[in-house]
Amino acid sequence: MRTRFILIQTSHAGNVGGAARAMKVMGFDELVLVAPRWPNVLRKEETIQRASGANDVLANARIVETLDEALVGVSHLCATAMTPRDFGPPTRAPREHFAQFLAEAAAPGAVQPEGIAFLFGSERFGMRNEDVYRCHACLSIPTSEGFGSLNLAAAVQLIAYDWRQAVGGFALPPTTPERPAADAASVAGMLSHLEQALVAVDFLDPDAPKKLMPRLNGLFNRAQPTPEEIHILRGVAKAMLQTAERAKR
């Protein structure tokens, strides 16, 4: 679904760059600025630095003078505001609204929306009432009761993440394949080598071993070391034996 992020009267260039970066990592690229404080904000150094590689989003961004221009081509509008408006649209958490919106769009006979737009107000005074009233929903990000002030770019990131999850999130990158555990014979050989080393450094009394080696055996069985890790442990045991031999000369 076409997705547009609209920043209204943005006053800090860094937030424009931060918003572009937030959008790009969630796979969105349509950014519109309505009457920003800086006419050349898309080319300002702070904007480019904060975008941190999302230069394509900045390159494709549009600057318009009015909200009407920014809304062309989308049919479902979401304001973002902490405070509900008395005569405004329903205030919902983003995930709650997205689930309801997509369920309604998938219903038999439903008119498919042209696209969705997320509106973010100025850092200085937030969303104006007249802009909120035009929206179908007011999204309020759940925050701590004692402090709910979000940076503009951070708010864009959270909305972008929840919307991406709603329409189909990205898979996690491939993880490093798990290495197979060493076989029992390798573990037994390493334990025998380690036992010799522990005796050599006077940590283990062979005449009164108690339960040390069975406990170590259980430890390594639970740990399931790989062949490479067994090799490291045998190297430790070898170094202990060599050190003990030099000490006795």
Side-chain angles (χ1 to χ4, degrees):
M1 183 183 301
R2 184 174 190 174
T3 300
R4 183 178 299 165
F5 288 79
I6 300 173
L7 310 185
I8 303 171
Q9 296 183 330
T10 309
S11 59
H12 295 289
N15 281 333
V16 175
R21 179 182 183 179
M23 291 168 55
K24 184 176 177 67
V25 298
M26 289 296 116
F28 303 115
D29 59 9
E30 192 170 348
L31 174 64
V32 179
L33 310 179
V34 178
R37 178 182 179 186
W38 310 99
N40 66 336
V41 67
L42 295 174
R43 299 186 300 276
K44 289 181 73 69
E45 182 178 356
E46 184 181 359
T47 305
I48 295 169
Q49 288 180 345
R50 286 285 303 279
S52 191
N55 297 333
D56 54 337
V57 178
L58 295 180
N60 293 326
R62 294 187 293 123
I63 295 179
V64 298
E65 289 300 317
T66 66
L67 183 56
D68 284 332
E69 296 173 82
L71 296 178
V72 173
V74 294
S75 57
H76 188 82
L77 312 179
C78 297
T80 54
M82 280 185 6
T83 307
R85 305 308 202 265
D86 290 338
F87 303 102
T91 298
R92 300 190 183 106
R95 295 179 190 180
E96 173 193 2
H97 179 67
F98 296 157
Q100 179 176 325
F101 168 65
L102 292 174
E104 292 173 353
V111 177
Q112 294 304 302
E114 292 182 73
I116 188 170
F118 301 111
L119 281 58
F120 297 82
S122 167
E123 299 95 327
R124 292 174 293 175
F125 48 79
M127 289 284 296
R128 300 185 306 173
N129 285 341
E130 52 264 43
D131 295 334
V132 174
Y133 294 157
R134 301 182 63 169
C135 296
H136 298 88
C138 184
L139 304 181
S140 183
I141 297 169
T143 59
S144 167
E145 184 177 349
F147 188 71
S149 177
L150 273 168
N151 170 268
L152 173 59
V156 171
Q157 183 73 82
L158 291 171
I159 295 295
Y161 173 78
D162 275 355
W163 178 236
R164 171 53 63 195
Q165 293 299 104
V167 297
F170 297 125
L172 289 173
T175 58
T176 303
E178 292 187 10
R179 297 178 183 273
D183 58 31
S186 297
V187 174
M190 180 274 296
L191 283 168
S192 177
H193 197 175
L194 183 59
E195 182 177 12
Q196 296 173 39
L198 293 173
V199 171
V201 297
D202 295 329
F203 185 85
L204 172 62
D205 183 354
D207 295 326
K210 299 182 180 179
K211 300 290 185 180
L212 177 61
M213 295 314 298
R215 290 183 186 278
L216 288 176
N217 201 334
L219 169 64
F220 286 113
N221 282 341
R222 291 193 302 274
Q224 294 188 312
T226 64
E228 291 82 2
E229 290 165 341
I230 290 292
H231 184 71
I232 291 170
L233 290 167
R234 294 200 73 149
V236 171
K238 180 179 179 180
M240 291 168 65
L241 286 165
Q242 290 173 341
T243 302
E245 180 64 27
R246 286 195 300 268
K248 293 175 181 178
R249 291 181 189 153

